[in-house]
Amino acid sequence: VASEDEPDIVTEPLYFRPAARLQRFLGRELIADPNLAIGEFIKNGYDAGASSVRIAFDLLGREHPSQQVLRISDDGVGMTFEEFRDNWMRPGYSEKAARQTASPNPAARTARQRMDARLPIGEKGIGRLAAGRLGDVLHIWTRKRKADPWLHIPFDWNDFTDMNTPLDEVEINADYEIAPPTEWPETGTIVEIRELSLNWTGRVPGRRVAGRPSSRMARLRQDLELLLSPLEATEQAFTIELSTDWPEHKDLTGAVVSAGLSLIDYRYDFELTWDDERGVRVHSEIRRAADLARDLDINPTTRMTAYYAPGTALASEDPTSHPGALASGPIRGTMYYAARKGTGRRMQDLGIQPGVRVYRDGVRVEPYGDPEDDWLGVQARKASRQGYAAIRPNHLSGYVAISKVSNPELVDMTNRQGLVENQAYDEFGAHVRAEFRRFADLVFDEFVKPEWARDEDRATAIAQRTATHQDVLIRDIVHELRQPVSSLGSEIRNLDYVIENSEIPDQTKAQLRQIRARAGGHVDRIAKVVREALDGPVTTEIEPVSIQEVVDQAVESVAEIATSTGTTIEQGIDDRTVIARQVLLRRAISELLRNAIESPRPTDADRVVRVTSTSRNGTVVITIQDNGEGIDVATAAGLFEKPISKKGRQGEGLIGVRNLLATFNARARLANPGEAGARFEVVIPSMGELRRNLR
Ligand SMILES: Nc1ncnc2c1ncn2[C@@H]1O[C@H](COP(=O)(O)OP(=O)(O)OP(=O)(O)O)[C@@H](O)[C@H]1O
Ligand SMILES: [Mg+2]
């Protein structure tokens, strides 16, 4: 039973009726970055077949942004009144979206021919909204032929603030009366923005960004330099010019030259294509600067090809591994790395901006490669190396090229802040990151790692040198101890004499003997420690050493025993520089001198030791000659080989001499076995011989 009071159900078709202020919101907020907003008009000029786009600021005498004017003019195809009405006046509509093919035509002369030769960048029909980001008032002049009058269309975005007025009820009145503000171009489009929202003489607020200038105009210039791919730019016959009348901007005006890219140390090219049978084919090529290749002793070029079977998982242990799918379509790219010291400066001089950027059909897709955007994980990679960066982010530059035609799944976000995150984008990122890592690992293995090794060697050498200094210091202290220790020994013998020859009560005498015995034990121990310290292993640098200096030191070190034994030491040194370990050479000579001083003399004649030196066949020979008994032939045979027990330390001493001298390829020998007055020679090789031996 139907209810009697059933309500009337009436519907009619529904339509969006955007309020006027929607236009205002979108214009002001959709494209946040003012430089990107300016880029939108450059792209439109490019799409219109312009040979040039000129950006001009009127700033002089206009401190306040509301007085400042920005003009973006192009010599493209221009628009008729009807075209303007049907295209420009319909936000979200883009006739370009249908034009998805182009054939490069280097012979193109007219705007129309150039337009047909270029693949349009525009597709969404929203670029025009960017005007609202830059200023409150917009005037457009456009015409297609010189014979036509200029069509002038003024907009005041303040007319679009009302939420009660529908967008399509705000009236815009075009005219053919008002003349354009500039002589150039003769045909094309002039976009003039007034009552600017930013002060273009100022600085960008907020904290400084490394690699980015803080002056707003300098930053615009930097972005413009990166807008066009370094590859395609030359083929396109398209220039961008920047002019401003603000005196401080003098260096920023003029033709914008695309930021350079050039091979300083490394260049890495990669290309990813799909092979129906084998999956993703990755072909890459690394090129090294000629002098770097020579230094590293590597071929300047290395080529690699790898395949990743269809369906291979995205995640893999190996960071250089690729997913086995290429939903993004083919990708190619080039990265440069300046590896050697001082190359950061080189990059600056060459106008190379760090960062690996993405270009679609020759035009930049922001923000990939910006100083703050780490889409390749370069910073992360650096961090994971715990300070040892294979790749210093500031030394890496390059680009990845994609195309609307071959990479249809890689689409811009409407706010122009990157690509829409979808399956194709995820794969695209994974592929490029894998290639970056392959490149980074290569540079790491062949350049960075050996460089560290060199640094580590250097560090070790410094540590060793420090250790050597300590060694010398310890030896000096020990050396100083020798004399007082031996004097203590004499004093204890004096004590013996006093104890035995004095009138002391027996009990006291016994106590004194005990004390003397203990003291003697202590002195013996100290003496032993001193001796051991002197004989212990020492490392010192191999360095140029003066014979005279080292002999003086050695003579000085035995002066004490020479005096106590009444021995005269005579010197006849022909000073030469040898390559030796100074401290060790001194100790060897000291030891030989001590032996010479102590060797028994046949008569009570004067005790004499002579130290002389000569050069012989490039070697330097130091001779230590005494006037003692000499060494018989049998003893001489094993002199430097085994300790001679009857003379105790002396024999051990000669083995020490041999070992000390061996550390710098010098040696000692007895020159006159069986003769009276032993003559020992220390033979030190020449520099050339030493170098040969050390190699
Ligand atoms: N400088 C120009 N010369 C000639 N025609 C232009 C120019 N600027 C804009 N137009 C016309 O106005 C339309 C609107 O430009 P707009 O930038 O909003 O959209 P688009 O370039 O088509 O797409 P996108 O939003 O991706 O940039 C263009 O499609 C083009 O028809
Ligand atoms: Mg556009």
Side-chain angles (χ1 to χ4, degrees):
V1 182
S3 159
E4 279 175 20
D5 44 60
E6 192 176 273
D8 285 348
I9 308 173
V10 181
T11 68
E12 55 175 314
L14 299 168
Y15 302 95
F16 279 116
R17 197 106 201 265
R21 67 173 190 163
L22 182 63
Q23 172 86 12
R24 181 109 173 111
F25 284 150
L26 287 176
R28 205 158 44 187
E29 289 158 31
L30 184 63
I31 294 172
D33 185 313
N35 293 356
L36 283 182
I38 291 175
E40 287 305 317
F41 294 96
I42 299 170
K43 293 179 197 175
N44 283 348
Y46 175 89
D47 286 348
S51 72
S52 181
V53 170
R54 296 189 186 174
I55 301 157
F57 286 89
D58 293 344
L59 305 173
L60 195 64
R62 305 160 193 246
E63 312 292 301
H64 200 269
S66 66
Q67 304 164 296
Q68 299 175 349
V69 177
L70 159 63
R71 253 184 324 279
I72 305 161
S73 320
D74 70 70
D75 62 352
V77 293
M79 288 171 272
T80 63
F81 178 80
E82 288 73 22
E83 283 170 341
F84 191 86
R85 182 191 61 205
D86 297 343
N87 293 314
W88 222 96
M89 294 305 292
R90 289 165 66 195
Y93 173 81
S94 177
E95 50 85 26
K96 297 170 193 171
R99 270 199 286 137
Q100 292 300 330
T101 53
S103 37
N105 173 10
R109 303 274 310 275
T110 65
R112 178 82 222 181
Q113 287 168 338
R114 280 190 297 264
M115 184 173 91
D116 291 340
R118 293 174 188 165
L119 205 58
I121 305 159
E123 58 185 3
K124 293 192 192 296
I126 52 124
R128 73 203 83 168
L129 294 171
R133 170 70 184 95
L134 296 164
D136 279 353
V137 173
L138 167 69
H139 288 258
I140 295 174
W141 285 267
T142 183
R143 71 173 175 185
K144 294 185 87 80
R145 291 174 308 173
K146 270 196 263 181
D148 298 339
W150 284 98
L151 171 66
H152 168 242
I153 314 102
F155 297 85
D156 186 338
W157 302 118
N158 293 312
D159 298 342
F160 293 79
T161 45
D162 187 3
M163 68 175 179
N164 293 311
T165 310
L167 185 56
D168 62 2
E169 282 178 19
V170 181
E171 206 172 274
I172 309 294
N173 293 298
D175 64 78
Y176 285 105
E177 323 292 58
I178 300 180
T182 58
E183 301 275 291
W184 191 92
E186 289 184 320
T187 59
T189 304
I190 300 163
V191 171
E192 185 173 274
I193 301 164
R194 300 181 191 167
E195 303 196 16
L196 301 188
S197 50
L198 293 167
N199 182 2
W200 286 87
T201 67
R203 323 216 134 238
V204 181
R207 64 185 176 85
R208 277 196 63 98
V209 180
R212 295 286 268 161
S214 58
S215 135
R216 196 178 293 287
M217 193 62 72
R219 246 193 222 197
L220 172 65
R221 170 120 198 152
Q222 191 183 51
D223 282 341
L224 295 178
E225 284 172 0
L226 298 172
L227 184 69
L228 300 176
S229 147
L231 257 198
E232 273 88 349
T234 47
E235 301 163 15
Q236 284 167 341
F238 180 72
T239 60
I240 302 170
E241 271 177 63
L242 179 64
S243 75
T244 124
D245 56 3
W246 191 251
E248 279 173 36
H249 294 160
K250 220 174 77 210
D251 295 341
L252 301 173
T253 62
V256 174
V257 182
S258 279
L261 279 177
S262 63
L263 173 64
I264 293 178
D265 290 326
Y266 284 99
R267 172 181 172 149
Y268 184 79
D269 292 279
F270 64 93
E271 189 168 14
L272 282 88
T273 48
W274 179 257
D275 180 296
D276 278 338
E277 271 158 41
R278 305 177 69 180
V280 178
R281 176 182 185 272
V282 181
H283 180 75
S284 55
E285 194 171 305
I286 188 155
R287 268 178 257 177
R288 303 161 184 93
D291 54 340
L292 177 74
R294 216 176 307 121
D295 285 357
L296 296 175
D297 204 11
I298 297 180
N299 277 336
T301 310
T302 314
R303 291 186 188 85
M304 297 155 273
T305 305
Y307 288 88
Y308 297 86
T312 317
L314 249 170
S316 156
E317 288 294 306
D318 176 6
T320 67
S321 159
H322 288 259
L326 198 60
S328 62
I331 306 164
R332 88 199 142 83
T334 298
M335 297 180 219
Y336 292 87
Y337 188 62
R340 287 176 287 188
K341 288 205 174 76
T343 48
R345 190 54 213 276
R346 261 308 278 297
M347 286 178 69
Q348 264 177 24
D349 292 347
L350 293 169
I352 300 171
Q353 295 195 25
V356 176
R357 291 166 279 273
V358 176
Y359 289 90
R360 189 206 283 107
D361 298 309
V363 178
R364 175 138 190 238
V365 182
E366 301 237 16
Y368 309 104
D370 273 352
E372 284 173 309
D373 178 86
D374 189 24
W375 73 292
L376 292 181
V378 185
Q379 291 286 359
R381 189 102 177 123
K382 179 182 170 182
S384 78
R385 295 265 191 204
Q386 291 165 353
Y388 299 112
I391 291 287
R392 279 174 290 175
N394 283 345
H395 287 228
L396 179 73
S397 59
Y399 59 87
V400 177
I402 55 174
S403 166
K404 231 194 292 200
V405 178
S406 51
N407 311 95
E409 303 278 317
L410 296 178
V411 289
D412 256 11
M413 292 211 277
T414 301
N415 66 5
R416 315 293 202 213
Q417 296 285 358
L419 297 166
V420 173
E421 295 192 9
N422 54 20
Q423 173 72 21
Y425 174 76
D426 286 348
E427 278 175 23
F428 169 72
H431 284 303
V432 180
R433 269 194 299 279
E435 282 309 284
F436 158 68
R437 287 182 186 144
R438 193 193 301 275
F439 178 38
D441 285 357
L442 231 141
V443 172
F444 183 77
D445 287 342
E446 74 176 44
F447 181 84
V448 182
K449 225 153 77 181
E451 277 287 292
W452 287 358
R454 230 173 288 169
D455 282 351
E456 275 173 5
D457 279 355
R458 238 173 273 143
T460 312
I462 290 166
Q464 270 172 359
R465 211 172 305 140
T466 313
T468 304
H469 290 320
Q470 288 168 350
D471 204 66
V472 171
L473 185 66
I474 289 166
R475 233 150 258 296
D476 257 39
I477 294 167
V478 172
H479 179 72
E480 294 236 328
L481 284 176
R482 280 176 70 105
Q483 194 265 324
V485 167
S486 80
S487 302
L488 254 183
S490 316
E491 295 299 343
I492 282 171
R493 281 190 297 278
N494 290 341
L495 190 62
D496 278 341
Y497 182 86
V498 174
I499 293 169
E500 300 312 326
N501 299 293
S502 312
E503 300 226 328
I504 307 170
D506 281 352
Q507 204 190 338
T508 311
K509 200 175 263 190
Q511 281 175 336
L512 283 173
R513 281 194 190 117
Q514 278 173 14
I515 292 169
R516 183 251 162 247
R518 286 200 298 274
H522 295 320
V523 171
D524 284 351
R525 253 169 61 204
I526 294 170
K528 191 165 170 256
V529 168
V530 167
R531 216 160 48 228
E532 275 169 3
L534 279 172
D535 292 343
V538 199
T539 53
T540 65
E541 288 273 275
I542 291 199
E543 58 192 339
V545 174
S546 150
I547 294 290
Q548 181 71 64
E549 194 185 318
V550 88
V551 168
D552 284 344
Q553 289 170 348
V555 169
E556 216 237 304
S557 73
V558 296
E560 186 72 30
I561 0 163
T563 314
S564 63
T565 54
T567 309
T568 311
I569 300 178
E570 297 173 0
Q571 274 194 51
I573 299 298
D574 175 17
D575 196 11
R576 287 290 149 88
T577 299
V578 292
I579 299 297
R581 299 183 195 271
Q582 173 147 4
V583 180
L584 307 196
L585 177 58
R586 190 198 75 204
R587 289 184 55 214
I589 297 171
S590 301
E591 186 65 31
L592 292 172
L593 284 174
R594 208 172 297 120
N595 286 349
I597 292 165
E598 288 170 356
S599 79
R601 300 304 198 262
T603 58
D604 273 338
D606 291 337
R607 303 174 73 91
V608 180
V609 174
R610 272 189 65 77
V611 196
T612 55
S613 76
T614 51
S615 303
R616 200 191 289 157
N617 305 327
T619 61
V620 171
V621 182
I622 300 170
T623 306
I624 295 109
Q625 162 102 58
D626 62 47
N627 61 346
E629 286 177 342
I631 298 166
D632 63 75
V633 179
T635 311
L639 205 55
F640 293 92
E641 313 302 331
K642 52 180 191 282
I644 297 157
S645 52
K646 88 176 170 182
K647 299 197 80 191
R649 263 207 86 240
Q650 191 187 356
E652 263 172 50
L654 286 181
I655 292 169
V657 166
R658 184 198 64 192
N659 294 342
L660 290 168
L661 295 176
T663 64
F664 48 95
N665 277 45
R667 61 201 162 75
R669 62 188 204 102
L670 176 66
N672 60 346
E675 286 180 34
R679 188 164 76 243
F680 281 88
E681 287 180 344
V682 173
V683 184
I684 306 164
S686 69
M687 279 194 219
E689 200 191 324
L690 182 72
R691 239 179 257 132
R692 268 194 302 282
N693 282 323
L694 287 176
R695 202 166 281 156

